[in-house]
Amino acid sequence: MKIIPVSKALTLVKKTDNKQNIKLVQYIKDEITKNGDSALLKFEKKFNGSRLKNFLVSKKEIQDAYKLVSRDQLNAILYAKKNLLKSESILKKQLGKISFNIDGTKITKSFEPLDIVGCYVPGGLARYPSSAIMSIVPAKLAGVRKIVVATPPNKQGKIEPIVLVAADTCGADLIFKIGGAQAISAMAIGTKSIPQVDKIVGPGGSFATTAKYLVSDITAIDMLAGPTELVVLVDNSTDPKLAALDIFSQAEHSSDTKCYVITTSYDVAKKISIEITKLISFIPRKEIIRTSLQNNGFIAVGNLQAAISLANKIAPEHIQIMMKNPNKIAQKIKSAGLVLIGPNTPSAASDYLLGTNHILPTNRFGRIRGSLSVIDFLKIQTVVHSSKPTLQKISKHLKTLTDSENLPNHYRAVRERL
């Protein structure tokens, strides 16, 4: 990884284009709108090489999947589910019903679950049971009536057993063998086989992300999550080898991941660079990691204030603080999807089992939101109950405002009651 001054680092942070392949994805969306399931079959064959007879995963397929998953794998799924459920349950308990009175008007605000949601779980060439856990568990806890899962099949039309087991264990109601832009479009539009959903959540590749962008006019989405991002803040107290391994853990996702080290010590920067060079020849997925770090990575050196400022400006998916006084530094981090404190809180662990959600904002959206949570599956329902004395009290001010906006019938609708 190249070593550069902090002052030059921001120019090297590349924004992911979530509108790539937009013409093709728009075509996919239009075809599914017109032709429904027949278009889905065509696109699954074309993009995934799958010849499907139907999309819905049967109960027998799910039962068979349990036979193919080891006891260790099932226990790991259950442990991840348990920790995430504990974390989200504590959050949900804070979201109670609130009632109050304003000048005789009673207002009640409550958090109500969405009716039906779609959880997209990436797959095809890989398998991500953890992504199934991260999206389904908070949806189930929120009380969503129907949870629909879409995940790509392999060329034989099969879903990885561990993904099926994770989805079923966490509470999916329907699981469909469908991936990419066609899966997102189908859940947003609805077909004979695939129900239309109120909201689509979950990570995905560039085609799925572009599809989420295009369907956001007809259904809600959680976020446009692009390639994985990690900033590691280090100083002369940091173990260079651990910093290198943490960078590898995120860079191995794909060749377009964005991993950065920001440090207050040039000596540490050199040591981390040496560790990366030494280790990269012996690690699995080294070509993906090498491409990612060469194209997108850097080690930036500057003073502490500049380092913190740069981290906030990048506003990445993860910021990992491996410095002296990490809690004090964490208080100054305001723009990150997830902040990880200390040498024993690696992002690799948070991706699976620490009780936090790994579906996180990227592309600088760490400025405005955090991880997927139970809140994403709830809406604020407001109920209001006014009275004639209240209308009398507001009548004068209402007339002033409605006259100002040239909307006289607003005032008349109130005046007639008085």
Side-chain angles (χ1 to χ4, degrees):
M1 290 172 77
K2 47 188 169 284
I3 301 175
I4 58 171
V6 160
S7 58
K8 295 183 179 180
L10 207 56
T11 60
L12 299 179
V13 177
K14 301 172 185 176
K15 188 172 174 61
T16 301
D17 181 10
N18 284 319
K19 298 176 187 176
Q20 57 185 313
N21 309 311
I22 199 162
K23 288 185 178 179
L24 175 57
V25 175
Q26 182 65 57
Y27 168 71
I28 292 169
K29 178 188 172 188
D30 291 344
E31 283 292 296
I32 291 170
T33 302
K34 291 180 201 172
N35 301 310
D37 286 349
S38 63
L40 286 179
L41 289 169
K42 177 180 75 174
F43 291 131
E44 277 301 313
K45 181 181 176 183
K46 180 176 181 179
F47 297 125
N48 291 332
S50 304
R51 296 177 180 270
L52 300 174
K53 293 182 179 178
N54 54 67
F55 304 107
L56 182 64
V57 174
S58 68
K59 289 182 180 179
K60 185 178 185 305
E61 287 176 289
I62 294 172
Q63 290 168 355
D64 290 343
Y66 277 91
K67 299 172 187 175
L68 298 171
V69 169
S70 71
R71 173 53 60 180
D72 285 347
Q73 287 175 319
L74 181 58
N75 285 340
I77 289 168
L78 292 172
Y79 189 86
K81 175 188 173 183
K82 179 191 73 172
N83 281 2
L84 184 59
L85 191 58
K86 281 183 180 178
S87 173
E88 293 294 319
S89 295
I90 291 167
L91 174 59
K92 186 170 185 267
K93 284 179 182 176
Q94 304 299 313
L95 307 176
K97 184 181 286 188
I98 307 167
S99 293
F100 50 93
N101 194 291
I102 298 178
D103 286 341
T105 297
K106 182 181 179 182
I107 298 174
T108 300
K109 291 182 179 288
S110 59
F111 294 85
E112 303 298 330
L114 303 183
D115 187 53
I116 177 170
V117 300
C119 298
Y120 184 72
V121 179
L125 298 177
R127 51 183 182 177
Y128 295 104
S130 59
S131 292
I133 297 166
M134 298 294 168
S135 58
I136 298 167
V137 166
K140 193 73 175 177
L141 178 64
V144 173
R145 180 183 64 83
K146 184 176 286 187
I147 300 171
V148 176
V149 171
T151 188
N154 59 24
K155 291 185 178 181
Q156 290 72 45
K158 303 289 185 181
I159 306 296
E160 283 286 343
I162 193 170
V163 174
L164 283 184
V165 169
D168 182 66
T169 299
C170 292
D173 295 296
L174 299 170
I175 306 171
F176 292 99
K177 309 170 192 177
I178 181 171
Q182 59 271 26
I184 303 297
S185 300
M187 290 191 289
I189 296 161
T191 71
K192 186 176 180 180
S193 298
I194 316 293
Q196 186 180 38
V197 303
D198 298 321
K199 187 172 187 176
I200 298 172
V201 305
S206 61
F207 284 97
T209 303
T210 302
K212 285 172 78 173
Y213 166 77
L214 286 177
V215 302
S216 61
D217 61 336
I218 55 176
T219 192
I221 63 170
D222 53 349
M223 62 189 93
L224 297 175
T228 292
E229 301 166 346
L230 172 65
V231 165
V232 184
L233 286 168
V234 304
D235 60 15
N236 56 17
S237 69
T238 308
D239 184 330
K241 185 176 182 180
L242 291 182
L245 291 173
D246 288 339
I247 288 292
F248 292 162
S249 75
Q250 297 303 319
E252 73 173 343
H253 275 288
S254 61
S255 59
D256 54 359
T257 53
K258 302 169 186 178
C259 297
Y260 315 115
V261 176
I262 307 175
T263 181
T264 54
S265 167
Y266 186 75
D267 285 342
V268 170
K270 288 194 294 184
K271 288 176 182 177
I272 293 172
S273 180
I274 290 167
E275 285 291 341
I276 288 172
T277 302
K278 182 170 69 175
L279 295 172
I280 202 165
S281 298
F282 305 101
I283 56 173
R285 299 174 71 83
K286 60 187 175 185
E287 293 308 321
I288 292 172
I289 293 169
R290 184 179 282 112
T291 302
S292 170
L293 299 186
Q294 285 177 346
N295 293 344
N296 304 311
F298 59 69
I299 304 172
V301 184
N303 63 43
L304 182 59
Q305 184 177 346
I308 292 169
S309 176
L310 175 59
N312 277 320
K313 286 175 182 176
I314 295 173
E317 182 180 14
H318 313 84
I319 291 181
Q320 194 170 313
I321 305 171
M322 296 169 64
M323 293 177 135
K324 298 171 198 155
N325 304 313
N327 288 290
K328 185 177 179 180
I329 293 167
Q331 293 173 11
K332 299 178 182 179
I333 299 297
K334 305 300 181 184
S335 300
L338 181 66
V339 179
L340 303 125
I341 297 176
N344 295 312
T345 318
S347 55
S350 73
D351 279 347
Y352 294 96
L353 296 167
L354 296 186
T356 53
N357 202 305
H358 78 202
I359 299 174
L360 294 157
T362 63
N363 234 18
R364 299 196 67 227
F365 281 99
R367 295 167 299 157
I368 54 126
R369 71 155 295 155
S371 67
L372 191 78
S373 76
V374 68
I375 296 172
D376 283 281
F377 303 98
L378 299 167
K379 67 165 188 158
I380 298 177
Q381 182 72 53
T382 301
V383 177
V384 58
H385 184 187
S386 189
S387 63
K388 186 174 284 190
T390 297
L391 296 181
Q392 186 71 55
K393 190 181 293 186
I394 68 172
S395 175
K396 178 183 175 181
H397 296 310
L398 184 67
K399 186 175 189 308
T400 300
L401 290 172
T402 56
D403 285 349
S404 298
E405 296 186 0
N406 194 27
L407 296 171
N409 290 303
H410 275 64
Y411 177 68
R412 184 172 183 178
V414 173
R415 186 189 67 191
E416 288 299 318
R417 288 171 164 81
L418 304 177

